Amino acid sequence: MDTIKSTITSSTDSFCCSNCWVRHFSEFKNCSVEVQKNLLLKKEEKKYTKGAYLIKNGDLVAGVFCIQKGNVKVFKKGMRNKEFIMWVAGKGDMIGLNSFINDETYSFSAAALNETACCFLPAYELKTLLNMEPIAFVRLMRNLCQKINFVERRITSISKKSVREQCAELLISIVTQNSFDNDKKLTINYSVKDLASFVGTTKNYLYKVLEDFNNKEILSVRNRKMFIHNINALSSIASGHEK
C-alpha cells in the first residue's frame, strides 16, 4: 500500500461548485440543471501529492476521475517493472472511461506527476447520469475515441520516429496541453525518468538528447525545470525536417 495518501476536500476548502468543470466541460455542459446539481452533490473532490496513485492496475472500477488541476501519468508496467506512459492527463481530462464503459477492472495505473486536484465520479452515479442524459454518453464515447486515437498515434510514432524526434514531439505536446496557463506554458516540470518512460528509452539516452537541445539553445534546464525557448525548432525536429 502506498505511503502517499490522497485527501478528500471538505465543502469549506473545495472548488466552488459554480466554477466546477461539470458546468463547463464539453461532455456535460449541456446537461439539465437538475442533473448537474444532482451530480455535484455526489462527486468527491480529491487532492493528490506528487507520486500518489489515483488508480492501480487490476483494481475494481470505482468510478471516473476528471482533472481540475495538475497532471497525471496513465501508464502500464512491463518487463522488469519498467513503466510505459501511454498518455498524460491534464486539466479537463477524464481518466478511467474505458474501464468504466467496459465494466472491468482498471487495465492501467494512474499517478500524479505534481500536486493534483480532481473530481471523482462514482460509477453508479455516473451510470445514473448517462441514463438520464443519453447524449452525454455519446460525448463520453467521443472523448474515449480521442484518447484511443492519441495512443494509436503514439504507437505509430514509436515505430517510425527516432527517440530524438519523439522527445521533441513529447515536449511540444506538454507545452500545448498546458497552454491555458500563459505564464507557464513553456515550462515543463516533469522528471527525466517520466519523460524517458513516455518516449520508451533510458534516462541516460534522453539526457544526451536534452543536452543536445540545450546546446542548440532550444531549451534550458534550471532548478529541475525545463524552459522551452524555440518551439519552431522542436516542431522541425518532431516532423523529421530538422535542418
Side-chain angles (χ1 to χ4, degrees):
M1 183 69 67
D2 292 304
T3 56
I4 306 176
K5 303 293 186 181
S6 68
T7 59
I8 301 177
T9 63
S10 66
S11 58
T12 57
D13 62 0
S14 64
F15 289 96
C16 178
C17 285
S18 63
N19 297 320
C20 180
W21 64 273
V22 171
R23 298 186 185 276
H24 303 286
F25 191 48
S26 60
E27 277 74 3
F28 293 98
K29 65 181 180 182
N30 294 321
C31 288
S32 66
V33 174
E34 181 183 0
V35 168
Q36 289 188 25
K37 286 182 178 179
N38 288 336
L39 186 58
L40 289 171
L41 292 173
K42 302 298 183 181
K43 71 182 177 69
E44 298 174 4
E45 296 173 1
K46 297 187 177 184
K47 293 181 180 179
Y48 295 86
T49 56
K50 181 178 179 180
Y53 277 72
L54 285 72
I55 292 173
K56 280 190 174 183
N57 184 25
D59 284 352
L60 294 175
V61 173
V64 172
F65 294 82
C66 179
I67 308 304
Q68 285 210 15
K69 178 183 177 182
N71 298 97
V72 175
K73 61 180 179 181
V74 179
F75 64 98
K76 292 189 177 186
K77 289 189 177 182
M79 295 180 62
R80 300 176 184 174
N81 216 32
K82 183 177 180 180
E83 286 185 5
F84 176 74
I85 299 177
M86 297 180 291
W87 61 288
V88 175
K91 187 176 181 181
D93 282 327
M94 301 189 75
I95 304 175
L97 275 178
N98 57 328
S99 299
F100 165 75
I101 291 172
N102 289 332
D103 195 22
E104 60 184 12
T105 58
Y106 292 115
S107 58
F108 56 86
S109 295
L113 287 168
N114 40 41
E115 295 293 322
T116 298
C118 64
C119 282
F120 174 73
L121 305 177
Y124 175 78
E125 303 300 340
L126 186 53
K127 287 179 181 178
T128 301
L129 165 68
L130 297 180
N131 287 333
M132 296 175 66
E133 298 276 355
I135 190 64
F137 180 76
V138 175
R139 293 181 180 132
L140 286 180
M141 289 299 293
R142 184 184 303 150
N143 181 291
L144 180 57
C145 288
Q146 290 172 351
K147 291 297 179 291
I148 292 174
N149 289 339
F150 175 81
V151 173
E152 287 179 345
R153 290 195 297 271
R154 285 265 293 117
I155 294 172
T156 300
S157 177
I158 291 172
S159 64
K160 292 185 177 181
K161 292 189 175 185
S162 67
V163 170
R164 179 185 176 83
E165 292 169 344
Q166 289 182 61
C167 181
E169 187 176 64
L170 171 61
L171 297 179
I172 292 170
S173 175
I174 293 173
V175 297
T176 299
Q177 183 183 56
N178 293 295
S179 61
F180 59 84
D181 195 351
N182 291 327
D183 63 334
K184 296 181 179 179
K185 66 179 181 179
L186 298 181
T187 303
I188 297 175
N189 192 22
Y190 293 179
S191 69
V192 173
K193 176 184 177 181
D194 284 327
L195 292 176
S197 296
F198 197 97
V199 175
T201 188
T202 64
K203 288 196 300 182
N204 289 339
Y205 192 86
L206 191 61
Y207 271 124
K208 294 180 181 179
V209 173
L210 295 175
E211 184 178 9
D212 180 60
F213 287 174
N214 180 72
N215 292 337
K216 289 182 167 60
E217 299 184 345
I218 295 173
L219 57 77
S220 60
V221 180
R222 298 192 303 274
N223 298 324
R224 297 185 178 181
K225 292 183 179 180
M226 237 172 273
F227 299 87
I228 307 300
H229 303 303
N230 194 335
I231 195 74
N232 291 330
L234 280 179
S235 297
S236 296
I237 295 171
S239 62
H241 297 124
E242 182 180 12
K243 295 181 180 179

